[in-house]
Structures are given as structure tokens and as C-alpha cells.
Amino acid sequence: MTLTESLRDGNASQRIADSLRESILGGELSPGDRIVQEDLSARYGGSRIPVREALRLLESEGLVRLVANTGAWVASLTLAECSEVYQTRERIEPLLLRFSAEHLTQEQLARLDSLAHQMADAHGVEEFLDLDRQFHLGAYENAHTHVLGPLVTRLWNTTQPYRRAYTQLVGDRNRRIFHDEHHMLVTALHDGDLALAEQILALHIRRTRLHLERHPELFDQAPNSKETPA
Amino acid sequence: MTLTESLRDGNASQRIADSLRESILGGELSPGDRIVQEDLSARYGGSRIPVREALRLLESEGLVRLVANTGAWVASLTLAECSEVYQTRERIEPLLLRFSAEHLTQEQLARLDSLAHQMADAHGVEEFLDLDRQFHLGAYENAHTHVLGPLVTRLWNTTQPYRRAYTQLVGDRNRRIFHDEHHMLVTALHDGDLALAEQILALHIRRTRLHLERHPELFDQAPNSKETPA
DNA sequence: ATACCCCAGATTGTATCCAATGTCACCCCA
DNA sequence: TGGGGTGACATTGGATACAATCTGGGGTAT
């Protein structure tokens, strides 16, 4: 079964989209970078058709910006937009946590605790970012949602480049409160105090947002033409 | 300028997606209906390429369900999924209202009030649904958001077929409380009492959800294979 | 009678080719 | 010397043709 994994779903566009998404989330591509269809089709050994569908998919996820007859770029966010995403997360991630918490096993709680500890010793920006993501999304693992879970993942993805830039900028400063909040969250979950866990999570996201907002220089300054259709 | 309107954005896929979206929201297509690429390409006089991109777009909006090498269907929701959407709305629409409220003009408030009144005399299901949608989305008109606004529109769209089915089912019953809540919201906005407005909106969405949940027969019963990637 | 298998038709996925559009550099002119 | 226009090039959008895959019905064996 592992042989067919390379062509999972049976379509190439999914594979290309997955690979491109990883490149963006991993920082190999940065906001504003131009994406040329033919480069991708050459890289993946196919035609431009699946590439185009992959780009459409990533655009709908907010990772790519398409302009008709012109081209594609890795999506960038203004500070206002990033703040918007964080305020949205502040409202919905506690709900997702609620869905998940009632099904979390002791093993999963132990893993969250382990991740929270590992982050204290994390060397380098990438390891820190990865552990943070694993911690939060891991807490939602048992939510079994079809809408909210993917939505939260999407919000994490679109802001990932800016979390990276921020983490690189501030280094180890302010990291203590970050760890403390994670441990408080684990404790609240362990105690079964869901109301407290929700509050801690909301405050954690809120504080992170306020810290991000202190560094407007990290963000896109001039939003060219980003209409909101609705 | 109106001549070029038919090919707006310069790409056909957008036009096809818009048309198909209208068909789904308008009830011409129902959840579970099969969508065949060639039918659409014949209907719009093009090839299947833009049709495929349109279907991908609508899939990402949650209006269409694609299965590789098999086909496309108008998306359906289980009761649990619909409930999830409403609980999400309950958390984020008050936030969107907050963004919008600070910029709402007197004219816009008057229009909301007018819409709330018109709904009392609405004849037929379609007019009622349309006015309700105009009322709520109209309240968010001045939010000037790039993430939250489109997200809320998307959540409205995916649940539209079930609002229609519910409205057809219950007729005029329970409609009084509906109107009362709308008028209370307008009053709170008029008074500048944003905290109250947010609460009324959340309770309005919550009560609607609870009413919907009384009719599980309206929803998809057996969710075939809807994996949540994250 | 029923369960399974297999093949034909229908439908989707992809490649290649051509058209349409935007970009950019160069040139002309004031 | 600077600004505007124009043309060639690069890139994207779309159509046609072909390959791959799934579905469903009919036949066969148990």
C-alpha cells in the first residue's frame, strides 16, 4: 500500500498542492515570491494543467495569490489581516478545544505535556515552530470535526510565515510566558476544567497577537488590490 | 463597461463558479445532485478546463464534493456538521459585527430596520431567506475585513440549503421570536450598545441552531467518507 | 436464487497545442 | 533629458485529443 502513496487520491494536482504547501509552510518560499506555472510543471514532470489546479486550491486556502492573466505569488498578509486571523482564532479555537477535550486520552495528554517540555529546550526557530504547531493542533486531534478543524488549520497555515519571522526576530525573549501558558493549558485539561482551558487558550492567542502587533515591520505594508467579494 | 461584464476577471472559471454557486444557493441544485463536467461545459459553451477549475473552487468553499476519478456532487451536510457551522458562526459573527458596527452609517442602520420590517410581510420561502441573508450580511457590510467577512459568507452559503428546507418545513411558526431578535439587534446597534448587540446576535444564532437540531430528518444521514485531513 | 467476475460505456484526469493577455524594454518625440 | 507610445517576448487561459479510472449491467458458476 505504501507504493501507491506517491499517487494518492489518484490525481497529480493534490500531490503538487501538498508539496507546494509544504514549501510555503517550511519557509522555502516566502510571501511575495513569484510562482511560475511552467517551473512547477517541469519540477514535477507533468503538464501545467494539474499545476494550475493546485494553485487554485492553494489560493482558496489563502496561501497563494492569483491575478488573472498575470501570475501567482505566495500570499502575504498586512498586519491588519494577520490580526484579524488571530482574533478569529481567539474565538474559535477554544470551541474546537471543547470538542476535542471530551475525547482526549491520557496518552494524548501526556504527549501534550511532553511537547510543552520539549519546547523549553528547542534549539532553533524551526524546531520551536514545529513543536508549537504540534502542541496546539495535537490538542485538537480528537475533535472529529469536519468544518472547524480544517478551518483552524487553514488559519494556522496562512499566518505561519509571520510566526516564523517573529520568532526569528525576538529569539528567546518573552518565551517564558509562552511555556507557562502551555503548561497551564495542559494542567487545566488534565483537571478536566474545560472552562479554564478555554480561557487560557483564548488569552494565549490574544497575548501572542498583541506581541505580533508590536512589529508592523514584519508585514506587508501596501495591500495592492485585495477586494472582499462579500 | 457592461459589455465586458460577461467576461469579468478575464477568466471563464470564475464566471462558471459564480453561476453554479447561484444555482446551489438558489435551490435549483440540491445537496446530493450529481454534477457532470461535460454538461456544464456544454451549457457555458466552453471546454471542461474552466469547468474543472470552477468545481475545485466551489469544493474549497464547501459547496461541492469532489471524488477523484469519479465525479462531483452538490455538497450535503450531516446534522452534526451543520451544528458545527452554527456554533462557529455563534463565535465569529459577533466579532465581525464589532468590526462593522463602528463604521455603520445612519442610512445603513435604517436599511437594516427596513429589512427587519419587510421580513414580517415576506411572502414565500425564497423572499424570507433572501431578506434574512441581506439583513445579516448587510450588518457586516462595513467590517472591511479580508478574512472574516468571506469566511462568514462561506459558512452562510454551505448551510443555505438546510435553512431553505427548515423554512419550508416550519412555515410561519416560531417566526415571531425571529423578528423580535432582529429588531432587538437593530435597537442595540442604534443605541451604540455593542456588547448587547454581540450577545443578541450570538443568542439569535444559537436559538436558530437549537431549532434546526429538532429536525434531523432534513440532513444527510450517512456521511460516506469525509476525512478531516487535520 | 444469489454472489461474484468481467467487460463495455461513461466520465474524469492529463498532455499538447494554440490564443489571449500582460510586461518590459526600446524608440520616438517634445 | 524625460515621458509616452509601441512592439516583441514571456506567461497565463482555454480547446482539443487521448489515456486512465470508475460504474453498472449481464453472464456464469455455485
Side-chain angles (χ1 to χ4, degrees):
Chain A
M1 277 301 163
T2 51
L3 281 179
T4 61
E5 195 179 18
S6 61
L7 45 92
R8 59 190 169 195
D9 273 347
N11 51 4
S13 53
Q14 197 68 42
R15 191 169 50 87
I16 296 173
D18 289 346
S19 173
L20 199 52
R21 190 187 300 108
E22 287 307 312
S23 295
I24 296 173
L25 296 182
E28 302 160 43
L29 293 174
S30 298
D33 283 359
R34 175 71 187 271
I35 301 173
V36 177
Q37 294 179 3
E38 196 136 6
D39 293 353
L40 287 179
S41 62
R43 185 171 153 195
Y44 293 104
S47 79
R48 278 167 40 224
I49 298 285
V51 170
R52 287 174 49 175
E53 297 193 352
L55 290 176
R56 289 250 170 213
L57 180 60
L58 293 179
E59 182 198 27
S60 75
E61 295 179 10
L63 289 175
V64 161
R65 175 171 162 75
L66 287 180
V67 177
N69 289 312
T70 303
W73 290 262
V74 176
S76 60
L77 292 179
T78 64
L79 172 56
E81 288 164 345
C82 188
S83 172
E84 217 183 286
V85 172
Y86 269 76
Q87 289 179 72
T88 305
R89 287 183 49 200
E90 188 179 329
R91 300 248 180 168
I92 63 176
E93 287 195 28
L95 177 62
L96 184 58
L97 182 64
R98 174 174 290 269
F99 280 126
S100 180
E102 49 188 333
H103 302 116
L104 277 182
T105 65
Q106 289 299 319
E107 289 74 23
Q108 288 173 312
L109 273 177
R111 177 160 173 273
L112 292 181
D113 193 55
S114 166
L115 285 168
H117 276 100
Q118 287 177 54
M119 285 185 71
D121 311 322
H123 298 303
V125 170
E126 293 307 319
E127 187 182 357
F128 179 84
L129 289 172
D130 188 48
L131 289 171
D132 184 41
R133 184 183 172 106
Q134 282 190 49
F135 177 86
H136 281 275
L137 298 188
Y140 311 139
E141 207 166 33
N142 272 12
H144 304 305
T145 57
H146 295 125
V147 177
L148 201 46
L151 171 58
V152 165
T153 300
R154 179 171 158 266
L155 295 180
W156 269 78
N157 287 353
T158 56
T159 48
Q160 174 86 353
Y162 300 96
R163 258 193 308 284
R164 172 175 290 111
Y166 174 81
T167 307
Q168 287 172 340
L169 182 68
V170 303
D172 289 341
R173 273 173 290 146
N174 295 332
R175 203 164 278 187
R176 173 63 191 270
I177 180 72
F178 208 88
H179 297 314
D180 289 346
E181 286 166 346
H182 282 189
H183 282 291
M184 286 171 70
L185 183 58
V186 172
T187 301
L189 288 173
H190 190 81
D191 293 347
D193 191 342
L194 195 41
L196 178 62
E198 282 197 51
Q199 288 230 358
I200 291 169
L201 179 56
L203 292 175
H204 177 59
I205 297 170
R206 173 187 167 84
R207 192 196 46 73
T208 304
R209 168 172 62 86
L210 295 176
H211 280 194
L212 276 172
E213 288 176 352
R214 290 189 202 157
H215 296 282
E217 74 276 13
L218 296 177
F219 297 88
D220 191 8
Q221 301 301 319
N224 255 344
S225 63
K226 306 184 176 184
E227 309 95 341
T228 310
Chain B
M1 277 301 162
T2 51
L3 281 178
T4 61
E5 195 179 19
S6 61
L7 45 92
R8 61 189 166 193
D9 273 347
N11 51 4
S13 54
Q14 198 67 42
R15 190 169 50 88
I16 296 172
D18 289 346
S19 173
L20 198 52
R21 190 185 301 108
E22 287 307 312
S23 295
I24 296 173
L25 296 182
E28 302 161 42
L29 293 174
S30 298
D33 283 359
R34 176 71 187 271
I35 302 173
V36 177
Q37 294 178 3
E38 197 136 3
D39 292 355
L40 287 180
S41 61
R43 185 171 155 196
Y44 293 104
S47 78
R48 279 167 38 225
I49 299 283
V51 169
R52 288 170 56 90
E53 297 192 352
L55 289 177
R56 289 241 171 224
L57 181 60
L58 292 179
E59 183 198 26
S60 76
E61 295 178 10
L63 289 175
V64 161
R65 174 172 163 74
L66 287 180
V67 178
N69 289 311
T70 303
W73 291 262
V74 177
S76 60
L77 291 179
T78 64
L79 172 57
E81 289 164 345
C82 188
S83 172
E84 217 183 287
V85 172
Y86 269 77
Q87 290 179 70
T88 304
R89 287 183 49 200
E90 189 179 330
R91 300 247 179 169
I92 63 176
E93 286 196 29
L95 177 62
L96 185 57
L97 181 64
R98 173 174 291 271
F99 280 126
S100 179
E102 48 189 331
H103 303 115
L104 276 183
T105 64
Q106 288 301 319
E107 287 76 21
Q108 288 173 313
L109 273 178
R111 178 160 173 273
L112 292 181
D113 192 55
S114 166
L115 285 168
H117 275 102
Q118 287 177 55
M119 285 184 71
D121 311 322
H123 298 304
V125 171
E126 294 307 320
E127 187 182 357
F128 179 84
L129 289 172
D130 188 47
L131 289 171
D132 185 39
R133 185 185 172 105
Q134 281 189 51
F135 177 85
H136 281 276
L137 298 188
Y140 311 141
E141 208 166 31
N142 273 11
H144 304 305
T145 59
H146 294 125
V147 176
L148 201 46
L151 171 58
V152 165
T153 300
R154 177 172 159 268
L155 296 180
W156 269 79
N157 287 352
T158 57
T159 48
Q160 174 86 354
Y162 301 96
R163 258 192 308 284
R164 172 175 291 111
Y166 173 81
T167 306
Q168 287 172 340
L169 183 67
V170 302
D172 289 341
R173 275 173 289 146
N174 295 332
R175 202 165 279 187
R176 173 64 192 270
I177 179 72
F178 208 89
H179 297 313
D180 288 346
E181 287 166 344
H182 281 189
H183 282 290
M184 286 172 70
L185 184 58
V186 172
T187 302
L189 287 174
H190 190 81
D191 294 347
D193 192 343
L194 194 41
L196 178 62
E198 282 196 51
Q199 287 230 358
I200 292 169
L201 180 56
L203 291 176
H204 176 60
I205 298 170
R206 173 187 167 82
R207 190 196 46 71
T208 304
R209 168 172 63 86
L210 294 176
H211 280 193
L212 276 172
E213 287 175 354
R214 290 189 202 155
H215 295 282
E217 75 275 13
L218 297 177
F219 297 89
D220 190 8
Q221 300 300 320
N224 256 343
S225 64
K226 304 185 177 182
E227 308 96 341
T228 310

